[in-house]
């Protein structure tokens, strides 16, 4: 591709991108593709001869786009959102253009130093203590794996402790990435103790304390507790002050997972959910979930940087540079060696919206959730299933003729399928205390009050047709 051809195609793509974002709401939000459909329309063997860009782009539009799920659609209420705001997208274009691999300070000094700056900005905005130092990871799953490995590292330092003795604790509502990290860290799936939750799906500190004592009495070495602010199912908030206190008394690593809800720490009125976070050893949240930043971008904060380096750094001769003693090499702060320049998009986002703009967006989503919840509560035959401290409302349809149980679960499963068949909105589900619940997760940057009302109308229409 010549420089002139690149320029012309780039202009075409920018026009496509601007139209896509402006008209995202006009597209069906989900694909009707059946498994294998798209693959069947793609050649099984690679091209021998280069093809013109126009042919590639035509296939992108005709084969790929219809097979996409449109996360940037204003009717996005599924899972948690993945926000790709315009400034973030523009920064990603520049990141791809420069193509820098930011493993060491030396491999792009600006990338490392900008990462230090934006992570400290985010720390200040989130009200974290200045004893926390941040690094960008690809996902919360990776950050949590790093936290578990750090906890293992600290526990190993105690004389006479073997990995086989280590036990870790998280609630039954904690994210699957924690169980996965325990397994990947080689501690064995059984090392993770599942702590029961209360009636609002928050970890019960008394149960945690009892489990730690029982393990200790059995000769195990309790090493780590993971608390969640904003669980994936229902955005429940574990009591951080009590858990932090137990962690401190028992010398446990205290990791806090706020992958989705961490963005809400920017709001003074939401800070109380994060009280006790100052006791944490590590903290993770995803600007790519609710802070206008393109997937992927995870903020990981730790207190003990030397310990993190001990767990993750390795310096073969071919990576050594003359500056190593004076600089930070983020390759030593996580799993990956090679690192994308993710700080750039965060910098663009933080500067474009400012703290005020980001707070306004978060408040808007929380307000929509309050409104949606009130509509559910007012409507006969519907019930909310959990508290809604952030942008998520869990609810179900409960017609009088159906008792609680499997039949009611199936009724709501069919209801959700009918809502999503509109392809105008997209919602997903979970189970809470064994009951099927529909999740309405509000947090897409293009979503308006009208989109929320549309979703509610579709829910009611689907229920009326049931
Ligand atoms: C989404 C989520 C994760 C996983 O996030 P990834 O960045 O996709 O790994 C972890 N914990 C919680 C509470 C989540 O909601």
């Amino acid at each position: 591709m010549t420089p002139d051809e690149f320029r012309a195609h780039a202009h075409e793509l920018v026009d496509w991108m601007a139209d896509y974002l402006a008209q995202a709401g006009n597209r069906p939000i989900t694909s009707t593709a059946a498994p294998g459909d798209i693959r069947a329309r793609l050649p099984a063997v690679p091209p021998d001869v280069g093809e013109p860009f126009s042919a590639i782009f035509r296939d992108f539009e005709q084969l790929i786009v219809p097979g996409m799920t449109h996360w940037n659609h204003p009717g996005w209420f599924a899972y948690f959102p993945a926000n790709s705001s315009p400034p973030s997208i523009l920064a990603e274009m520049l990141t791809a253009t420069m193509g820098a691999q930011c493993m060491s300070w030396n491999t792009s000094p600006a990338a490392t130093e900008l990462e230090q700056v934006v992570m400290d900005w985010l720390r200040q905005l989130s009200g974290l203590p200045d004893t926390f130092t941040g690094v960008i990871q690809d996902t919360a799953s990776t950050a949590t794996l790093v936290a578990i490995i750090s906890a293992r590292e600290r526990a190993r330092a105690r004389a006479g402790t073997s990995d086989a003795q280590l036990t870790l604790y998280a609630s039954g509502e904690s994210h699957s990435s924690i169980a996965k990290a325990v397994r990947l860290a080689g501690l064995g799936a059984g090392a993770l103790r599942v702590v029961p939750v209360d009636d609002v799906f928050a970890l019960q500190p008394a149960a945690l304390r009892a489990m730690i004592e029982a393990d200790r009495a059995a000769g195990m070495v309790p090493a780590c507790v993971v608390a969640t602010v904003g669980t994936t199912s229902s955005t429940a908030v574990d009591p951080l002050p009590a858990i932090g206190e137990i962690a401190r008394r028992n010398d446990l690593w205290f990791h806090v997972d706020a992958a989705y809800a961490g963005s809400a720490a920017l709001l003074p009125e939401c800070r109380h959910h994060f009280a006790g976070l100052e006791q944490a050893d590590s903290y993770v949240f995803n600007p790519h979930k609710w802070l206008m930043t393109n997937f992927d971008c995870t903020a990981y904060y730790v207190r003990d940087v030397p310990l993190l380096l001990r767990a993750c750094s390795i310096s073969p001769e071919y990576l050594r540079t003359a500056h190593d003693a004076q600089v930070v090499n983020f390759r030593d702060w996580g799993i990956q060696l090679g690192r994308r320049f993710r700080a750039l998009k965060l910098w663009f986002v933080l500067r474009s919206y400012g703290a005020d703009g980001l707070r306004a967006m978060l408040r808007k989503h929380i307000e929509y959730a309050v409104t949606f919840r009130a509509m559910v509560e007012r409507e006969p035959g519907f019930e909310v299933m959990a508290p809604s401290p952030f942008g998520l409302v869990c609810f179900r349809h409960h017609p009088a003729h159906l008792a609680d149980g499997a039949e009611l679960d199936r009724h709501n499963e069919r209801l959700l399928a009918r809502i999503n068949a509109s392809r105008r909105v997209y919602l997903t589900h979970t189970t809470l205390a064994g009951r099927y619940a529909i999740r309405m997760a509000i947090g897409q940057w293009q979503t308006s009050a009208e989109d929320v009302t549309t979703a509610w109308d579709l829910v009611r229409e689907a229920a009326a047709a049931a």
Side-chain angles (χ1 to χ4, degrees):
M1 196 177 280
T2 67
D4 283 342
E5 285 168 344
F6 175 80
R7 187 183 305 278
H9 297 319
H11 282 291
E12 286 163 27
L13 290 203
V14 167
D15 283 336
W16 186 91
M17 289 157 63
D19 290 342
Y20 176 86
L21 292 179
Q23 294 154 25
N26 300 337
R27 287 176 190 277
I29 190 165
T30 47
S31 171
T32 51
D37 272 2
I38 293 156
R39 189 165 180 187
R41 297 176 68 190
L42 296 168
V45 292
D48 283 326
V49 180
E51 299 178 60
F53 189 77
S54 57
I56 303 168
F57 191 69
R58 190 187 55 231
D59 285 350
F60 165 74
E61 282 197 290
Q62 293 182 0
L63 302 177
I64 304 302
V65 177
M68 293 302 289
T69 303
H70 296 288
W71 288 67
N72 252 342
H73 190 294
W76 186 270
F77 303 112
Y79 307 104
F80 285 129
N83 273 299
S84 285
S85 69
S88 175
I89 295 167
L90 295 176
E92 281 285 53
M93 290 164 67
L94 301 180
T95 294
T97 301
M98 292 186 290
Q101 207 276 51
C102 308
M103 57 185 169
S104 310
W105 179 88
N106 201 53
T107 63
S108 274
T112 296
E113 295 186 17
L114 185 64
E115 183 162 336
Q116 292 176 303
V117 169
V118 293
M119 292 311 283
D120 198 61
W121 285 4
L122 266 191
R123 179 193 65 74
Q124 295 171 43
L125 288 170
S126 310
L128 298 171
D130 61 7
T131 47
F132 276 60
T133 308
V135 53
I136 301 179
Q137 307 275 354
D138 54 2
T139 60
S141 303
T142 307
T144 290
L145 175 57
V146 171
I148 302 280
I149 287 170
S150 302
R152 187 187 66 187
E153 187 74 17
R154 193 163 89 180
R156 277 176 178 172
R158 289 185 223 156
T161 301
S162 82
D163 283 0
Q165 287 173 290
L166 304 185
T167 52
L168 304 91
Y169 307 81
S171 91
E173 293 288 315
S174 68
H175 191 264
S176 56
S177 57
I178 293 150
K180 185 168 176 175
V182 171
R183 245 171 55 196
L184 292 178
L187 300 175
L192 181 63
R193 308 297 200 236
V194 179
V195 185
V197 294
D198 61 18
D199 57 356
V200 289
F201 310 107
L203 182 147
Q204 295 190 31
L208 170 65
R209 203 176 296 117
M211 290 167 97
I212 290 171
E213 279 163 15
D215 279 329
R216 198 152 274 141
M220 306 305 282
V221 178
C224 177
V225 59
V226 182
T228 310
V229 178
T231 58
T232 312
S233 264
S234 73
T235 63
V237 178
D238 288 340
L240 302 190
I243 299 169
E245 169 75 12
I246 294 169
R248 200 173 47 78
R249 282 177 186 276
N250 291 279
D251 198 17
L252 264 61
W253 186 275
F254 181 26
H255 177 57
V256 177
D257 175 5
Y260 155 75
S263 298
L266 269 71
L267 299 176
E269 66 270 29
C270 285
R271 268 300 159 70
H272 64 279
H273 295 304
F274 299 85
L277 182 54
E278 68 285 350
Q279 300 185 72
D281 292 291
S282 53
Y283 173 59
V284 62
F285 87 98
N286 284 344
H288 71 229
K289 268 185 175 155
W290 200 12
L291 209 61
M292 310 292 254
T293 309
N294 210 42
F295 187 83
D296 47 5
C297 183
T298 289
Y300 180 59
Y301 288 92
V302 292
R303 188 189 297 286
D304 189 345
V305 173
L307 184 133
L308 174 63
L309 298 183
R310 219 163 60 229
C312 294
S313 85
I314 183 152
S315 276
E317 185 54 38
Y318 50 81
L319 290 177
R320 295 211 175 118
T321 73
H323 299 105
D324 286 352
Q326 299 145 271
V327 298
V328 158
N329 289 320
F330 279 128
R331 65 167 195 259
D332 295 332
W333 293 53
I335 309 282
Q336 305 177 303
L337 169 66
R339 306 176 79 246
R340 301 180 60 234
F341 186 7
R342 296 191 183 88
L344 192 69
K345 58 190 173 186
L346 205 43
W347 192 49
F348 273 40
V349 165
L350 293 172
R351 293 186 61 186
S352 295
Y353 296 99
D356 289 347
L358 294 171
R359 289 191 184 113
M361 188 266 315
L362 295 162
R363 286 196 175 109
K364 184 178 79 172
H365 293 147
I366 292 172
E367 190 187 302
Y368 291 168
V370 168
T371 308
F372 185 86
R373 187 181 171 94
M375 293 191 292
V376 175
E377 282 171 339
R378 268 201 311 271
E379 189 77 9
F382 278 88
E383 57 198 20
V384 292
M385 305 287 284
S388 303
F390 306 108
L392 176 73
V393 182
C394 295
F395 69 98
R396 69 176 175 179
H397 185 223
H398 194 165
H401 68 278
L402 285 178
D404 211 350
E407 211 185 322
L408 184 59
D409 290 348
R410 273 199 305 277
H411 171 80
N412 277 279
E413 203 176 326
R414 284 194 301 269
L415 182 70
L416 179 61
R418 219 172 293 126
I419 296 163
N420 287 337
S422 72
R423 296 169 77 207
R424 290 167 66 196
V425 295
Y426 186 31
L427 284 71
T428 50
H429 77 281
T430 188
T431 53
L432 290 168
R435 300 181 176 96
Y436 190 96
I438 299 175
R439 291 171 78 265
M440 172 83 179
I442 302 169
Q444 212 288 325
W445 64 277
Q446 304 224 66
T447 296
S448 68
E450 202 185 332
D451 296 310
V452 175
T453 313
T454 301
W456 178 233
D457 289 344
L458 290 165
V459 169
R460 279 186 313 170
E461 280 165 29

